[in-house]
């Protein structure tokens, strides 16, 4: 009767349109992610070109461009047919299986990510916001929130003090101790900020830093997420005044004009 999506990413949105066709169910998504769902399912998405442009200016090697473009194009095949979306808002209360659930907006992993909380049963459907063994990818994408890591850390605090006995995540097994897991995730990002910040010496691009942090033995899909996450951490520090972004002229290539190359330079220590 109803399909609730915690966010728009293909591994969550992918079969919603097909299921809707079979059942006639409404598909619900938080307002901010409705726009992104329409973008990634469009036959000619405009965000792919902007993403490539951003990645090239942050050091993506030109020879990886064809594979990156192909990888981005594959997303469209994973989200068709597109569902007709019904909009949810932060604070809404919905009935699922005869039980009332509160909609909690938890941006970071996506701008419109939501969790569903059932106070009566002390259950939290955490989506990709809080996962038991891995940390959700927090990446900077064109057209999205300019400081996603800051949004994510703040929204972790929104759920940390909920009275929850069991957390049901989108990836991994159900787990307990919400507050403890939130603190572990925050500690991870403090360590990652220190690691990435120490490499921002004004000579490395974000891609250089990503490969040093995550390693070079990655698929093109993994490189996209490694670079996106590195950019989110660099931008977090830049927004806080800890780093300065530097744009420098870069040599054009025969196939792509790349007039600017971005690096980050350490302004302050202690992060």
């Amino acid at each position: 009767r109803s399909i609730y999506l915690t966010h728009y990413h293909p591994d969550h949105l992918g079969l919603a349109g097909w299921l809707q066709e079979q059942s006639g169910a409404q598909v619900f998504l938080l307002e901010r992610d409705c726009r992104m769902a329409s973008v990634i399912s469009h036959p000619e998405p405009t965000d792919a070109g902007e993403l490539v442009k951003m990645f090239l200016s942050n050091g993506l090697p030109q020879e990886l461009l064809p594979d990156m473009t192909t990888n981005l194009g594959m997303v469209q095949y994973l989200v068709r047919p597109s569902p007709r979306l019904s909009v949810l808002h932060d604070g809404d209360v919905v009935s699922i299986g005869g039980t009332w659930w509160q909609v909690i907006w938890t941006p970071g992993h996506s701008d419109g990510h939501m969790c569903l909380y059932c106070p009566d049963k002390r259950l939290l459907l955490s989506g990709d916001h809080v996962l038991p063994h891995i940390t959700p990818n927090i990446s900077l994408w064109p057209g999205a929130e300019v400081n996603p890591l800051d949004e994510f850390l703040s929204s972790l605090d929104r759920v940390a003090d909920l009275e929850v006995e069991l957390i049901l995540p989108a990836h991994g097994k159900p787990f307990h101790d919400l507050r403890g897991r939130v603190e572990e995730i925050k500690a991870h990002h403090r360590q990652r900020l220190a690691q990435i910040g120490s490499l921002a010496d004004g000579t490395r691009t974000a891609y250089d830093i990503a490969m040093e942090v995550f390693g070079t033995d990655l698929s093109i899909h993994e490189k996209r997420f490694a670079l996106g996450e590195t950019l989110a951490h660099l931008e977090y520090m830049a927004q806080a005044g800890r780093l300065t972004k530097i744009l420098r002229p870069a040599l054009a290539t025969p196939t792509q004009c790349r007039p600017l190359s971005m690096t980050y330079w350490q302004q302050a220590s202690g992060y």
Side-chain angles (χ1 to χ4, degrees):
R1 296 176 183 175
S2 300
I3 300 169
Y4 292 89
L5 305 176
T6 55
H7 58 299
Y8 78 93
H9 290 164
D11 56 326
H12 298 258
L13 173 70
L15 279 176
W18 180 86
L19 283 168
Q20 188 177 60
E21 286 185 345
Q22 311 309 308
S23 64
Q26 282 185 276
V27 178
F28 292 93
L29 188 63
L30 209 65
E31 185 175 22
R32 290 196 177 196
D33 268 13
C34 284
R35 181 185 67 84
M36 293 305 298
S38 67
V39 169
I40 67 166
S41 61
H42 193 277
E44 296 181 1
T46 58
D47 65 328
E50 292 301 314
L51 180 62
V52 167
K53 187 187 301 182
M54 183 180 79
F55 276 10
L56 285 173
S57 67
N58 280 283
L60 179 74
Q62 187 75 30
E63 59 268 22
L64 295 181
L65 180 58
D67 288 343
M68 180 70 72
T69 304
T70 299
N71 180 256
L72 289 169
M74 290 175 61
V75 172
Q76 278 67 50
Y77 296 100
L78 302 176
V79 295
R80 293 175 182 165
S82 301
R84 300 180 306 279
L85 296 171
S86 299
V87 177
L88 284 176
H89 300 90
D90 184 34
D92 284 351
V93 177
V94 299
S95 177
I96 304 175
T99 303
W100 294 104
W101 298 77
Q102 296 177 7
V103 174
I104 303 176
W105 176 40
T106 50
H109 184 61
S110 77
D111 286 0
H113 190 287
M114 73 172 180
C115 295
L116 291 166
Y117 171 53
C118 179
D120 291 342
K121 295 187 177 183
R122 297 189 175 188
L123 294 174
L124 180 70
L125 298 175
S126 66
D128 282 5
H129 186 53
V130 184
L131 300 173
H133 302 300
I134 62 173
T135 57
N137 179 265
I138 310 299
S139 283
L140 183 68
W141 306 118
E145 170 58 43
V146 297
N147 195 353
L149 181 58
D150 185 59
E151 293 279 315
F152 177 64
L153 296 174
S154 297
S155 61
L156 283 175
D157 292 333
R158 289 199 71 188
V159 302
D161 292 327
L162 295 175
E163 293 186 9
V164 172
E165 292 183 1
L166 188 65
I167 303 99
L168 306 173
H171 304 277
K173 295 181 179 180
F175 64 101
H176 305 275
D177 189 13
L178 178 60
R179 164 58 75 176
R181 184 58 185 145
V182 164
E183 291 304 319
E184 289 176 355
I185 293 172
K186 291 168 74 173
H188 162 79
H189 283 289
R190 286 194 295 269
Q191 294 171 359
R192 182 57 53 81
L193 285 165
Q195 181 186 19
I196 289 176
S198 68
L199 297 172
D201 59 1
T203 66
R204 297 177 175 92
T205 64
Y207 181 83
D208 297 331
I209 294 173
M211 295 303 96
E212 189 154 346
V213 171
F214 293 97
T216 57
D217 188 20
L218 302 173
S219 67
I220 193 66
H221 183 79
E222 291 168 331
K223 285 183 178 181
R224 176 157 60 94
F225 281 92
L227 180 50
E229 181 142 338
T230 299
L231 282 168
H233 285 75
L234 289 167
E235 189 61 31
Y236 178 89
M237 289 182 279
Q239 294 277 343
R242 299 173 179 178
L243 298 179
T244 295
K245 290 185 283 187
I246 303 171
L247 289 171
R248 294 192 177 96
L251 293 176
T253 69
T255 58
Q256 179 81 25
C257 180
R258 235 193 317 170
L260 293 174
S261 178
M262 183 177 292
T263 59
Y264 290 78
W265 178 62
Q266 184 176 330
Q267 285 285 76
S269 59
Y271 54 80

